[in-house]
């Protein structure tokens, strides 16, 4: 069963461009090296707010990747966050094709 992590966040508006660049240029390649990783989307919902969704083949794949990703996020992305909520759970309805 597919699994998703959803990150709802706010950053300082003046940091938005560097935050997005770091995600696209460094975080996405790190994600692609994780077994069971299936996709990433970052949606801008306001001047300095967004939603990032990480798609996984299974809860086990997400759990296995979490230690390495958490360490990287703690060092590189946490300084940007003004707020962050990151629930995760099984995907129950989707139009995406999962492996």
């Amino acid at each position: 069963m597919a699994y998703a992590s959803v990150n709802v966040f706010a950053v300082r508006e003046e940091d938005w461009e560097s935050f997005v660049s770091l995600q696209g240029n460094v975080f996405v390649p790190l994600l692609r090296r994780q077994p069971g990783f299936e996709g990433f989307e970052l949606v801008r919902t306001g001047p300095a707010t967004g939603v990032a969704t990480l798609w996984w083949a299974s809860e086990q794949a997400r759990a296995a990747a979490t230690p390495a990703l958490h360490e990287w996020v703690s060092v590189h992305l946490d300084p940007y966050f003004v707020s962050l909520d990151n629930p995760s759970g099984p995907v129950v309805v989707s139009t995406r094709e999962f492996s």
Side-chain angles (χ1 to χ4, degrees):
M1 174 182 288
Y3 203 81
S5 300
V6 179
N7 301 285
V8 180
F9 62 87
V11 299
R12 290 178 301 280
E13 192 168 350
E14 64 270 16
D15 291 338
W16 179 262
E17 294 303 322
S18 60
F19 175 77
V20 170
S21 178
L22 186 60
Q23 295 253 355
N25 295 322
V26 184
F27 188 55
V28 169
L30 175 64
L31 287 170
R32 286 187 171 138
R33 292 192 298 269
Q34 306 306 310
F37 170 73
E38 295 196 342
F40 175 81
E41 288 141 356
L42 177 61
V43 177
R44 188 172 195 168
T45 60
T49 58
V51 175
T53 305
L54 292 83
W55 302 92
W56 301 95
S58 66
E59 182 177 8
Q60 293 77 16
R62 185 207 50 87
T66 294
L69 296 177
H70 180 73
E71 181 179 340
W72 191 90
V73 168
S74 293
V75 171
H76 299 284
L77 294 181
D78 277 358
Y80 287 95
F81 293 127
V82 173
S83 66
L84 172 66
D85 186 27
N86 56 349
S88 61
V91 177
V92 294
V93 176
S94 177
T95 61
R96 290 178 46 96
E97 292 186 23
F98 295 96
S99 24

